[in-house]
Amino acid sequence: PLRYISKFREFVKHEAEKNKSQWKTMGPAKVAVPSPNDFLQKHSKEPKLAPKKKEQDGKKLLPLSVPQRTYRPVIQIKKNFINKNAVAVITGAPKKPRPFCVDTRQGDKYLLEPSGLVPKYIKKKNYGVLPKYVTRRNEEMKREQEEYEARVLEQLKKKAMKTLSDEERTNILKALKKNWEEINHAFQGLPVLTDTRYKKMHKEELELKLKQLEHDIAAIEKHKSIYIAN
């Protein structure tokens, strides 16, 4: 029998040859070989400068900035640093030896100043001096207190109030304390058992008087200046 031949055979061969690339074939690639005359030359890949402009239409180009004949460039004098350093060392003052601290028998030493053994902070000029901001704040507080006291005195004068003197204040304190002692003595003498209504009322009255006296004594002792309205 005859061998089967597909009717798409020519179409497949055509598609295969059309999509085939030169680098996908087996064996040496069928590419154009470069000519031996086109070899890589020296400086061939460097960027080329634009050609020089020539005189066009009889116009001369601007002259170049060439120095004049009388120009003398500044010549820098080379310094001999070795001699300069030698002269500086000879004429300079000798350095003072830095104090060291030796802490072992083998002679291990370290600088004394940063070790913390030298009391350099207590030898500072401003050591123990009150800071400026504290002094300024104290002056401001004192000035504000004086202004407040002056303002209060002015208001009291307007209201016609009288200032209690120190002697009167002391006498009032003594009298209040004496009165407190008397009432306290009476309070201590009360019976333990308060079984009647009179005893309860008497005890409550003495307690109120003691609390009021204690409040008045504390108020007078706390405030040095006391004003009394006329």
Side-chain angles (χ1 to χ4, degrees):
L2 296 175
R3 186 169 59 87
Y4 172 76
I5 299 173
S6 175
K7 62 181 180 179
F8 298 104
R9 181 177 181 181
E10 299 297 331
F11 176 75
V12 171
K13 288 174 66 177
H14 175 69
E15 290 292 329
E17 291 177 357
K18 183 177 69 173
N19 297 329
K20 185 182 290 186
S21 301
Q22 295 179 352
W23 55 85
K24 291 184 179 180
T25 59
M26 296 183 66
K30 296 179 181 180
V31 295
V33 181
S35 174
N37 296 328
D38 299 336
F39 58 89
L40 184 64
Q41 298 181 0
K42 187 177 181 180
H43 305 294
S44 61
K45 293 188 177 182
E46 292 182 358
K48 296 181 180 180
L49 300 176
K52 294 183 179 181
K53 293 182 179 180
K54 298 182 179 179
E55 296 183 3
Q56 297 176 358
D57 302 333
K59 294 182 179 179
K60 294 184 179 180
L61 298 176
L62 296 175
L64 300 176
S65 57
V66 181
Q68 300 179 359
R69 291 176 179 270
T70 57
Y71 175 74
R72 294 291 182 271
V74 179
I75 300 173
Q76 295 183 356
I77 302 173
K78 294 184 179 181
K79 296 182 180 179
N80 192 345
F81 293 100
I82 297 175
N83 294 341
K84 184 179 179 181
N85 294 338
V87 171
V89 171
I90 294 170
T91 57
K95 292 184 179 180
K96 295 183 179 180
R98 303 183 68 180
F100 286 92
C101 178
V102 182
D103 58 350
T104 60
R105 292 182 301 172
Q106 286 76 16
D108 297 334
K109 60 182 180 178
Y110 53 88
L111 292 175
L112 186 62
E113 184 177 356
S115 65
L117 301 175
V118 182
K120 59 181 180 180
Y121 289 103
I122 62 175
K123 294 182 179 180
K124 294 172 67 176
K125 294 182 180 179
N126 57 350
Y127 179 78
V129 180
L130 200 64
K132 293 183 179 180
Y133 72 94
V134 177
T135 308
R136 184 169 61 254
R137 186 177 60 185
N138 292 340
E139 291 177 355
E140 291 177 357
M141 292 174 62
K142 185 178 179 182
R143 184 171 63 254
E144 290 177 359
Q145 184 66 22
E146 291 176 354
E147 292 176 357
Y148 173 74
E149 292 179 357
R151 189 163 58 252
V152 169
L153 283 174
E154 187 177 356
Q155 292 178 359
L156 292 175
K157 287 180 180 178
K158 290 180 180 179
K159 295 179 181 179
M161 298 187 74
K162 176 186 175 184
T163 308
L164 198 68
S165 62
D166 294 340
E167 186 177 355
E168 292 175 347
R169 178 173 172 273
T170 306
N171 294 335
I172 291 172
L173 270 175
K174 288 181 180 179
L176 289 173
K177 289 180 180 179
K178 185 178 179 182
N179 195 6
W180 183 86
E181 290 176 358
E182 292 175 357
I183 296 174
N184 188 38
H185 181 70
F187 182 78
Q188 296 293 334
L190 290 175
V192 179
L193 184 61
T194 55
D195 51 353
T196 62
R197 185 178 180 183
Y198 173 75
K199 290 180 180 179
K200 291 181 181 179
M201 291 177 62
H202 187 53
K203 183 180 179 181
E204 291 176 358
E205 184 181 358
L206 292 177
E207 288 178 351
L208 289 173
K209 288 183 178 179
L210 286 173
K211 287 182 180 179
Q212 185 63 37
L213 286 171
E214 289 173 358
H215 178 268
D216 295 342
I217 291 170
I220 294 174
E221 288 180 346
K222 184 179 179 181
H223 303 90
K224 295 183 179 180
S225 302
I226 301 173
Y227 300 96
I228 303 173
N230 292 333

